[in-house]
Amino acid sequence: MEFLEAIDVHADALKRAALTAGPSAPVRNCPKWTVHDLVRHVAWVHCFAVATALNTSAEPAPPDDWDELLGWWDGQRMAMREALSQPPATPARSPFPGVAVSVGDWTRRMAHEAAIHRLDAESALDPRPATRYSPEFAADGVDEYLTFLVPQRSPRYEKAGTVHFTTPGRTWALRLAPGEHARPVPPGTPDAELRGDADDVYRALWGRAHHAEVSGDPALLAPLAAP
């Protein structure tokens, strides 16, 4: 699935779930949020993506009224879709000092943002839909998280060690050390490992319900979890 198409598919599913659940429904994946909170967050992220892709300033915060928020969200989503339709190599504003970012990078980021928050919106439904992502899309989500997001974080590792993230057919390996950024290394003998289907490893990295297995020292994996 191409990333622009993925944005459409997952954003549509997210909206359907949000409208069905209603603004006051609790989001089981994110216990501090209601569906209103989730939609407000997603709408603002769309707004931020437009600003980064077009190198402009983000608009004011989303409105609080539910109906107004839904309309604002639709407008930001349409603007984001247009902004991300630029050639993928087009330079975009980077939130990471010294790291070049393109429109293609943001399109990929927004595809996975929509996919993860789709799961959140669906967690407000009863019964919860049995959504599963394809191995290709989920593996790309693992790669985007570990190679695009994690290396840019401020170092917050208290222990040194090598961690593996293993799906059928691929292993990502990172070396962690106190005071240093996580860096990729060739796979070897890990001190900790997260292993499972690509969909489960993807969900685990983002702190959503999963069936991936952890072995070794879980304290090494904890700082890599999504904030």
Side-chain angles (χ1 to χ4, degrees):
M1 185 185 296
E2 296 293 332
F3 293 128
L4 282 174
E5 179 188 357
I7 291 172
D8 291 339
V9 169
H10 300 309
D12 283 346
L14 193 166
K15 185 173 182 179
R16 284 194 302 272
L19 292 177
T20 300
S24 62
V27 177
R28 283 179 285 185
N29 277 6
C30 309
K32 294 182 180 181
W33 276 0
T34 63
V35 167
H36 184 283
D37 297 324
L38 171 64
V39 169
R40 198 170 192 276
H41 169 78
V42 172
W44 187 87
V45 169
H46 289 350
C47 178
F48 181 76
V50 173
T52 56
L54 299 180
N55 254 319
T56 60
S57 298
E59 292 190 17
D64 284 324
D65 178 80
W66 178 243
D67 290 333
E68 292 180 11
L69 175 59
L70 291 176
W72 195 86
W73 178 22
D74 285 339
Q76 294 303 320
R77 180 181 165 189
M78 291 175 63
M80 180 184 70
R81 189 64 164 75
E82 181 176 355
L84 297 179
S85 295
Q86 300 177 86
T90 303
R93 189 166 74 242
S94 173
F96 311 125
V99 178
V101 173
S102 69
V103 167
D105 293 324
W106 276 111
T107 306
R108 187 189 192 197
R109 174 85 292 281
M110 290 301 100
H112 291 295
E113 184 81 5
I116 291 298
H117 285 315
R118 170 188 178 174
L119 298 177
D120 297 337
E122 291 178 344
S123 79
L125 300 176
D126 191 12
R128 186 187 309 208
T131 299
R132 297 287 291 181
Y133 294 133
S134 72
E136 295 77 16
F137 182 80
D140 184 81
V142 174
D143 186 76
E144 195 258 353
Y145 188 87
L146 294 176
T147 65
F148 180 67
L149 294 178
V150 167
Q152 315 311 330
R153 287 184 183 170
S154 298
R156 53 179 183 177
Y157 310 113
E158 297 181 357
K159 302 178 70 174
T162 299
V163 294
H164 282 187
F165 303 86
T166 302
T167 65
R170 183 164 182 187
T171 294
W172 293 259
L174 294 177
R175 180 66 185 175
L176 311 180
E180 298 181 10
H181 289 278
R183 57 185 175 86
V185 293
T189 301
D191 299 295
E193 183 176 34
L194 181 68
R195 175 185 290 272
D197 291 342
D199 182 80
D200 285 308
V201 173
Y202 181 40
R203 292 166 190 254
L205 286 170
W206 282 102
R208 271 59 180 185
H210 64 89
H211 298 289
E213 297 180 355
V214 174
S215 60
D217 185 356
L220 284 168
L221 293 169
L224 292 166

Coordinates of all heavy atoms in Angstrom, one line a residue, residues 38-50 58-62 69 72-73 76:
L38 N -8.7 12.2 21.5 CA -8.0 11.6 20.4 C -8.1 12.4 19.1 O -7.2 12.6 18.4 CB -8.5 10.2 20.3 CG -8.0 9.4 19.0 CD1 -6.5 9.2 19.1 CD2 -8.7 8.1 18.9
V39 N -9.4 12.7 18.8 CA -9.6 13.5 17.6 C -8.9 14.8 17.6 O -8.3 15.2 16.6 CB -11.1 13.6 17.4 CG1 -11.4 14.6 16.2 CG2 -11.8 12.3 17.0
R40 N -8.9 15.5 18.7 CA -8.2 16.8 18.8 C -6.7 16.6 18.6 O -6.1 17.4 17.9 CB -8.5 17.4 20.2 CG -8.2 18.9 20.3 CD -8.7 19.4 21.6 NE -8.7 20.9 21.6 CZ -7.6 21.6 21.9 NH1 -6.5 21.0 22.2 NH2 -7.7 22.9 21.9
H41 N -6.2 15.6 19.1 CA -4.7 15.3 18.9 C -4.5 15.0 17.4 O -3.5 15.6 16.8 CB -4.3 14.1 19.7 CG -2.9 13.6 19.4 ND1 -1.8 14.2 19.8 CD2 -2.6 12.5 18.6 CE1 -0.7 13.5 19.3 NE2 -1.2 12.5 18.6
V42 N -5.3 14.1 16.8 CA -5.0 13.8 15.4 C -5.2 15.0 14.5 O -4.4 15.2 13.6 CB -6.0 12.6 15.0 CG1 -5.9 12.4 13.5 CG2 -5.6 11.4 15.7
A43 N -6.2 15.8 14.8 CA -6.4 17.0 14.0 C -5.2 17.9 14.0 O -4.8 18.5 13.0 CB -7.7 17.7 14.4
W44 N -4.7 18.1 15.3 CA -3.5 19.0 15.4 C -2.3 18.4 14.7 O -1.5 19.2 14.1 CB -3.2 19.2 16.9 CG -2.2 20.3 17.0 CD1 -2.3 21.6 17.1 CD2 -0.7 20.1 17.1 NE1 -1.1 22.3 17.1 CE2 -0.1 21.3 17.1 CE3 0.1 18.9 17.0 CZ2 1.3 21.5 17.2 CZ3 1.4 19.1 17.1 CH2 2.0 20.3 17.2
V45 N -2.1 17.1 14.8 CA -1.0 16.5 14.1 C -1.1 16.7 12.5 O -0.1 17.0 11.9 CB -0.9 15.0 14.4 CG1 0.0 14.3 13.4 CG2 -0.5 14.8 15.8
H46 N -2.3 16.6 12.0 CA -2.5 16.9 10.6 C -2.1 18.3 10.3 O -1.4 18.6 9.3 CB -4.0 16.7 10.2 CG -4.4 15.3 10.1 ND1 -3.6 14.2 10.2 CD2 -5.7 14.8 10.0 CE1 -4.3 13.1 10.2 NE2 -5.5 13.4 10.0
C47 N -2.5 19.3 11.2 CA -2.2 20.7 11.0 C -0.6 20.9 11.0 O -0.1 21.6 10.2 CB -2.8 21.5 12.1 SG -2.4 23.2 12.1
F48 N 0.0 20.2 11.9 CA 1.5 20.3 12.1 C 2.2 19.7 10.8 O 3.1 20.3 10.3 CB 1.9 19.5 13.3 CG 3.4 19.5 13.5 CD1 4.0 20.7 14.0 CD2 4.2 18.4 13.3 CE1 5.4 20.7 14.3 CE2 5.6 18.5 13.5 CZ 6.2 19.6 14.0
A49 N 1.6 18.6 10.3 CA 2.2 18.0 9.1 C 2.1 19.0 7.9 O 3.0 19.1 7.1 CB 1.5 16.7 8.7
V50 N 1.0 19.7 7.8 CA 0.9 20.7 6.7 C 2.0 21.8 6.9 O 2.6 22.1 5.9 CB -0.5 21.4 6.8 CG1 -0.6 22.5 5.8 CG2 -1.6 20.4 6.4
A58 N 2.1 26.6 11.9 CA 0.9 25.9 12.2 C -0.2 26.8 12.6 O 0.0 27.9 13.1 CB 1.2 24.9 13.3
E59 N -1.4 26.4 12.3 CA -2.6 27.2 12.6 C -2.8 27.1 14.1 O -2.2 26.3 14.8 CB -3.8 26.7 11.9 CG -3.8 27.0 10.4 CD -5.1 26.7 9.7 OE1 -6.1 26.6 10.5 OE2 -5.1 26.5 8.5
P60 N -3.7 28.0 14.7 CA -4.0 27.9 16.1 C -4.6 26.5 16.5 O -4.9 25.7 15.7 CB -5.1 29.0 16.3 CG -5.0 29.9 15.1 CD -4.5 29.0 14.0
A61 N -4.7 26.4 17.8 CA -5.1 25.1 18.3 C -6.5 24.7 17.8 O -7.3 25.6 17.5 CB -5.1 25.1 19.8
P62 N -6.9 23.5 17.7 CA -8.2 23.1 17.3 C -9.3 23.6 18.2 O -9.1 23.8 19.4 CB -8.1 21.5 17.3 CG -6.7 21.2 17.3 CD -6.0 22.3 18.0
L69 N -14.9 20.9 15.8 CA -13.7 20.1 15.8 C -13.7 19.1 14.6 O -12.7 19.0 13.8 CB -13.4 19.3 17.1 CG -12.2 18.4 17.1 CD1 -10.9 19.1 16.9 CD2 -12.2 17.6 18.5
W72 N -13.1 21.1 11.5 CA -11.7 21.6 11.4 C -10.7 20.4 11.1 O -9.8 20.6 10.3 CB -11.3 22.2 12.8 CG -10.1 23.0 12.8 CD1 -9.9 24.3 12.6 CD2 -8.7 22.5 13.2 NE1 -8.6 24.7 12.7 CE2 -7.9 23.7 13.1 CE3 -8.2 21.3 13.6 CZ2 -6.5 23.6 13.4 CZ3 -6.8 21.2 13.9 CH2 -6.0 22.3 13.8
W73 N -11.0 19.3 11.6 CA -10.2 18.1 11.3 C -10.3 17.7 9.9 O -9.3 17.4 9.2 CB -10.8 16.9 12.2 CG -10.1 15.6 12.0 CD1 -8.9 15.3 11.5 CD2 -10.7 14.3 12.4 NE1 -8.6 14.0 11.5 CE2 -9.7 13.3 12.1 CE3 -11.9 13.9 13.0 CZ2 -9.9 12.0 12.3 CZ3 -12.1 12.6 13.2 CH2 -11.2 11.6 12.9
Q76 N -8.2 20.1 7.9 CA -6.7 19.9 8.1 C -6.3 18.6 7.3 O -5.2 18.6 6.7 CB -6.4 19.8 9.5 CG -6.6 21.0 10.3 CD -5.8 22.2 9.7 OE1 -4.6 22.1 9.3 NE2 -6.4 23.4 9.7

